[in-house]
């Protein structure tokens, strides 16, 4: 008698465990390549360019990938995304071994991987919506945050400890091994399928109309559109600050990778504890409060304090911890709202457009943060005779990293303002009461 494949929460937990391992490996590679890129260039713009190259395809191709996700087998789609990520790691590894790795190679491979990663998130979100009951959505999102932040704790520590022994190539070999284990977990589980109801969706099944469906869906629901615009502004500001988090420490400490790694690990501990809290608690009763209050706390206690760390180093740890602590509440609360309000059969298309609208400002924020730092604020803050540099120097000093610290601090205060202003818009504030939950039925498990 053949053994049945895990289903429901068991299946989700097994996939989650595979993702934990894979994220640890990927984060180790990312940490090692960040150190390599900074040593090669010494420019925040170069680090931001790598992040932008990876993220931009996820935004530009979101409508196409979302339409395909709702047409394809979601489990196979997730596996395709993982395999493409593994291929890019192999290419970087081969270039590094041959001594030909350059910064522009990271841009190209990052863009390639970013395109295939744009399939992963909508497919994963839609699959989870069918695997577990609605009351578990926030808790499941908390577990996903726990996986991400758990990798953030272990990866910098492991990478810092092993890079001198295994070199960057050894780190990438670990990454490929953990990615293989994640694919195995997908093979082992059963994921339900959702049959599309074209009559209920009110559309034909052409690919072009599928690509436009998510835009129409969100535009017809002002509450969801407003919620996206909150993240539109918040992501712009958090990206400006976040892209400078590593360079500001490296610049202010003369490339102290151990200090950078310890700060990232402290942030990851904060993210883990925040994720554990959300997983155990289930989030606030009004999920929208988790979103708005989270942005307020992130801006004030996260980025705001982190910016002051250039003068008082302990605040790097405090700001990193507190900023990361509230992120799981923001993301889990927001994800639970969308999973509850959007029918699983259309989540691929709608969630891909979400991925396009809210985070589209992230590449711009990364570029602006790095550009302002390299071209204006860093040179300015190291001229104490300038009256603005002298004024700001009381809080941020006049040393390498001070200009980046100013940008992080100001971006944090503006992110706090985004959360406060969101409470003043009734359609957004009352999204949970004005929009009904979906009533999708879970179909028998598929492949």
């Amino acid at each position: 008698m053949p053994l049945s494949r895990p289903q429901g929460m068991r299946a989700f937990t097994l996939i989650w465990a595979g993702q934990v391992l894979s994220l640890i490996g990927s984060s180790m590679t990312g940490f090692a390549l960040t150190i390599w890129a900074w040593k090669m260039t010494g420019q925040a713009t170069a680090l931001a360019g790598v992040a932008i190259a990876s993220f931009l395809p996820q935004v530009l191709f979101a409508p196409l990938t979302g339409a395909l996700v709702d047409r394809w087998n979601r489990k196979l789609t997730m596996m395709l995304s993982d395999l493409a990520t593994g291929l890019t790691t192999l290419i970087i590894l081969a270039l590094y071994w041959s001594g030909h790795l350059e910064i522009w190679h990271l841009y190209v491979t990052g863009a390639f991987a970013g395109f295939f990663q744009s399939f992963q998130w909508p497919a994963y979100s839609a699959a989870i919506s069918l695997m577990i009951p609605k009351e578990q959505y926030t808790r499941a999102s908390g577990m996903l945050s726990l996986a991400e932040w758990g990798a953030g704790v272990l990866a910098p520590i492991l990478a810092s400890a092993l890079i001198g022994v295994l070199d960057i190539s050894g780190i990438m070999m670990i990454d490929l091994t953990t990615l293989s284990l994640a694919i195995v977990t997908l093979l082992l589980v059963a994921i339900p399928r959702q049959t599309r109801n074209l009559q209920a969706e009110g559309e034909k099944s052409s690919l072009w109309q599928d690509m436009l469906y998510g835009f129409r869906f969100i535009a017809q629901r002002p509450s969801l559109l407003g919620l996206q615009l909150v993240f539109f502004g918040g992501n712009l500001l958090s990206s400006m600050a976040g892209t400078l988090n590593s360079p500001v420490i490296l610049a202010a400490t003369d490339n102290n990778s151990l200090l950078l790694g310890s700060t990232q690990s402290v942030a990851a501990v904060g993210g883990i504890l925040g994720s554990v809290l959300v997983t155990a608690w289930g989030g606030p009763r009004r999920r929208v409060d988790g979103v708005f209050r989270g942005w307020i706390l992130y801006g004030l206690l996260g980025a705001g304090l982190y910016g002051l760390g250039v003068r008082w180093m302990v605040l790097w740890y405090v700001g990193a911890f507190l900023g990361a602590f509230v992120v799981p509440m923001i993301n889990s609360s927001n994800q639970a709202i969308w999973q509850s309000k959007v029918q699983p059969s259309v989540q691929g298309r709608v969630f891909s457009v979400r991925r396009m609208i809210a985070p589209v400002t992230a590449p711009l924020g990364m570029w602006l943060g790095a550009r302002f730092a390299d071209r204006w604020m860093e040179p300015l803050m190291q001229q104490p005779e300038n009256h603005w540099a002298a004024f700001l120097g009381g809080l941020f000093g006049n040393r390498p990293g001070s200009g980046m610290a100013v940008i992080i601090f100001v971006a944090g205060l503006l992110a706090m303002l985004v959360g406060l202003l969101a409470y003043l818009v009734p359609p957004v504030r009352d999204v949970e009461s004005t929009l009904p939950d979906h009533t999708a039925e879970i179909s028998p498990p598929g492949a």
Side-chain angles (χ1 to χ4, degrees):
M1 179 178 177
L3 295 175
S4 61
R5 294 183 179 180
Q7 301 178 26
M9 200 63 186
R10 286 180 58 212
F12 168 75
T13 302
L14 184 58
I15 295 175
W16 173 83
Q19 290 298 310
V20 171
L21 294 174
S22 181
L23 284 168
I24 290 173
S26 298
S27 299
M28 288 175 65
T29 294
F31 181 88
L33 290 176
T34 295
I35 300 298
W36 177 85
W38 180 261
K39 287 181 178 179
M40 293 296 103
T41 67
Q43 293 285 318
T45 305
L47 299 184
V50 175
I52 292 171
S54 175
F55 189 77
L56 202 55
Q58 300 182 45
V59 174
L60 295 178
F61 292 101
L64 172 63
T65 57
L68 294 175
V69 162
D70 282 340
R71 288 166 172 256
W72 294 350
N73 181 300
R74 286 163 178 168
K75 183 163 102 172
L76 295 179
T77 302
M78 289 185 280
M79 292 174 61
L80 173 66
S81 176
D82 285 339
L83 288 170
T85 300
L87 177 60
T88 60
T89 303
L90 276 173
I91 293 172
I92 295 172
L93 178 59
L95 288 168
Y96 182 81
W97 266 340
S98 67
H100 293 96
L101 183 62
E102 299 180 21
I103 288 292
W104 72 268
H105 292 138
L106 300 185
Y107 297 162
V108 175
T109 54
F112 177 82
F115 171 74
F116 284 95
Q117 286 168 2
S118 67
F119 290 91
Q120 181 83 0
W121 185 73
Y124 200 19
S125 297
I128 291 172
S129 298
L130 293 170
M131 292 170 68
I132 61 177
K134 293 178 186 178
E135 56 270 18
Q136 297 293 334
Y137 286 167
T138 304
R139 188 164 279 111
S141 294
M143 289 177 65
L144 294 177
S145 293
L146 181 60
E148 294 173 359
W149 289 111
V153 168
L154 293 175
I157 296 173
L158 291 174
S160 297
L162 295 176
I163 196 169
V165 178
L166 301 178
D167 195 36
I168 293 177
S169 58
I171 300 296
M172 286 189 277
M173 290 296 293
I174 294 174
D175 185 8
L176 291 169
T177 301
T178 57
L179 179 63
S180 300
L181 292 174
I183 294 174
V184 169
T185 63
L186 283 171
L187 290 171
L188 292 175
V189 303
I191 297 179
R193 294 181 178 179
Q194 175 69 31
T195 302
R196 289 184 57 181
N197 186 338
L198 295 176
Q199 183 177 3
E201 294 174 24
E203 62 169 66
K204 298 178 182 179
S205 59
S206 71
L207 181 61
W208 174 251
Q209 290 187 333
D210 278 356
M211 289 171 62
L212 296 177
Y213 181 86
F215 291 101
R216 295 200 304 269
F217 184 96
I218 295 175
Q220 292 167 1
R221 294 160 177 81
S223 296
L224 293 179
L225 178 59
L227 191 61
Q228 281 300 92
L229 293 178
V230 170
F231 279 81
F232 186 91
N235 287 339
L236 172 67
L237 298 164
S238 63
S239 297
M240 287 183 66
T243 198
L244 300 176
N245 283 352
S246 296
V248 71
I249 292 179
L250 293 173
T253 63
D254 193 25
N255 296 338
N256 190 328
S257 60
L258 289 177
L259 179 59
L260 173 61
S262 64
T263 304
Q264 291 181 349
S265 294
V266 167
V269 169
I272 285 177
L273 294 179
S275 300
V276 169
L277 175 64
V278 171
T279 302
W281 170 34
R285 184 180 61 84
R286 270 175 40 96
R287 292 162 177 164
V288 75
D289 288 333
V291 175
F292 299 163
R293 292 173 186 174
W295 277 116
I296 293 169
L297 293 173
Y298 166 82
L300 180 63
L301 301 180
L305 292 179
Y306 195 97
L308 297 174
V310 73
R311 280 292 299 273
W312 299 279
M313 190 180 299
V314 66
L315 294 183
W316 277 331
Y317 294 107
V318 176
F321 178 88
L322 294 176
F325 182 80
V326 301
V327 167
M329 181 173 67
I330 298 173
N331 291 335
S332 298
S333 299
N334 184 58
Q335 180 72 350
I337 292 172
W338 284 86
Q339 286 180 306
S340 298
K341 305 300 180 183
V342 182
Q343 200 83 0
S345 61
V346 304
Q347 283 185 10
R349 285 161 284 170
V350 175
F351 284 15
S352 290
V353 172
R354 280 179 61 198
R355 192 79 165 181
M356 187 175 189
I357 295 175
V360 71
T361 53
L364 176 62
M366 294 173 189
W367 184 84
L368 288 175
R371 194 69 170 174
F372 286 162
D374 290 338
R375 294 293 297 273
W376 292 295
M377 291 306 299
E378 278 295 298
L380 172 68
M381 291 301 292
Q382 293 176 51
Q383 300 175 24
E385 66 277 6
N386 182 286
H387 68 280
W388 279 110
F391 173 74
L392 294 171
L395 279 178
F396 304 99
N398 299 108
R399 57 184 292 186
S402 295
M404 289 184 273
V406 173
I407 296 171
I408 295 170
F409 180 81
V410 173
L413 295 185
L414 293 175
M416 177 184 68
L417 187 61
V418 167
L420 290 171
L421 291 177
Y423 271 115
L424 302 179
V425 185
V428 183
R429 185 185 63 225
D430 302 327
V431 59
E432 293 175 86
S433 58
T434 56
L435 285 180
D437 287 357
H438 70 73
T439 55
E441 294 182 359
I442 297 178
S443 58

